[in-house]
Amino acid sequence: MANKTKRLLGKRDIKRGVKKLAQELNNDYRDRSPILVCILKGAVVFLADLIRELNFPLRIDFISVSSYGDSSRTSGVVKIIKDISIDIEGENVLLVEDIVDTGLTLSYIFDFLKRKNPRSLKICALLEKRVKRTKKIKIDYRGFTVPNKYVIGYGLDFSEKYRNLPEIITMEF
Ligand code: IMP
């Protein structure tokens, strides 16, 4: 890795954060059989760990969007490239996201899913960057608030690489 990096969250920190979120969800979704919609690709690792801590019936689905811009910045133009396959009308839906930066991606997906008339639609994000949101969105379940730096690992990429790193690392350009 040519860029300067620093560990932000180690394996144990992440595990603790995921367990804390799972506890909240185990309380709130006990009798609600939700559909967890994972935003590809970054949230895959988080989803995989999270669902194994959940003790209620659930289903999972995936949605994928492309956002035009360079590899470290969202441009604001979002396009759905893979829609969910389960009908969510009248269902309790929980959107699972890796990181919220400007909020543009999530707010686009939120509005897109809202139009499918779910009974409830909430957001669970592992990381939230300490930045001024371009789009106001309510993150119902948040793992960690992180500094406004580019992070990689635990599903998060830089140019499609580093998703397999078990820790969350800041990358300086
Ligand atoms: P937003 O639309 O600006 O909130 O950006 C959200 C999306 O951009 C996330 O789903 C990530 O895929 C990506 N992203 C934002 N910040 C980072 C980062 O620091 N590391 C890796 N991906 C990021």
Side-chain angles (χ1 to χ4, degrees):
M1 234 182 277
N3 303 71
K4 214 172 125 199
T5 60
K6 204 172 128 204
R7 184 168 71 185
L8 187 64
L9 296 164
K11 285 190 203 176
R12 260 200 272 169
D13 303 314
I14 299 171
K15 204 169 186 163
R16 212 179 332 109
V18 171
K19 282 204 173 196
K20 184 206 79 177
L21 284 170
Q23 265 172 16
E24 293 176 40
L25 296 171
N26 281 332
N27 278 327
D28 296 356
Y29 283 90
R30 214 175 329 166
D31 306 308
R32 301 175 72 195
S33 303
I35 298 164
L36 273 63
V37 175
C38 170
I39 304 175
L40 293 172
K41 305 171 189 167
V44 162
V45 179
F46 173 41
L47 177 87
D49 281 348
L50 182 69
I51 56 173
R52 283 176 287 179
E53 300 290 337
L54 300 177
N55 55 23
F56 48 79
L58 60 87
R59 285 175 284 170
I60 60 170
D61 206 342
F62 297 89
I63 193 164
S64 182
V65 296
S66 65
S67 100
Y68 303 99
D70 65 39
S71 40
S72 67
R73 206 168 278 276
T74 322
S75 66
V77 185
V78 185
K79 194 178 138 208
I80 305 283
I81 51 174
K82 188 229 165 287
D83 196 355
I84 50 172
S85 56
I86 301 174
D87 181 7
I88 60 166
E89 183 163 1
E91 304 285 350
N92 294 304
V93 175
L94 182 68
L95 254 176
V96 178
E97 174 62 313
D98 51 4
I99 188 163
V100 184
D101 185 358
T102 61
L104 283 165
T105 309
L106 206 46
S107 99
Y108 183 89
I109 296 172
F110 189 92
D111 292 345
F112 177 79
L113 294 180
K114 195 86 194 162
R115 290 198 290 274
K116 295 180 189 276
N117 297 319
R119 179 188 295 184
S120 67
L121 180 57
K122 298 219 164 163
I123 293 173
C124 173
L126 179 65
L127 309 175
E128 180 187 11
K129 274 196 198 170
R130 216 173 282 131
V131 286
K132 212 159 179 255
R133 285 282 110 71
T134 313
K135 282 272 181 188
K136 281 256 177 301
I137 37 165
K138 180 169 179 259
I139 303 171
D140 303 280
Y141 304 94
R142 174 195 305 98
F144 302 93
T145 305
V146 294
N148 187 15
K149 292 196 170 146
Y150 199 82
V151 293
I152 52 167
Y154 199 72
L156 291 150
D157 76 309
F158 176 68
S159 295
E160 294 298 331
K161 286 186 283 188
Y162 313 118
R163 295 192 196 275
N164 56 316
L165 299 178
E167 302 180 321
I168 295 174
I169 290 162
T170 61
M171 193 170 191
E172 279 174 32
F173 298 93

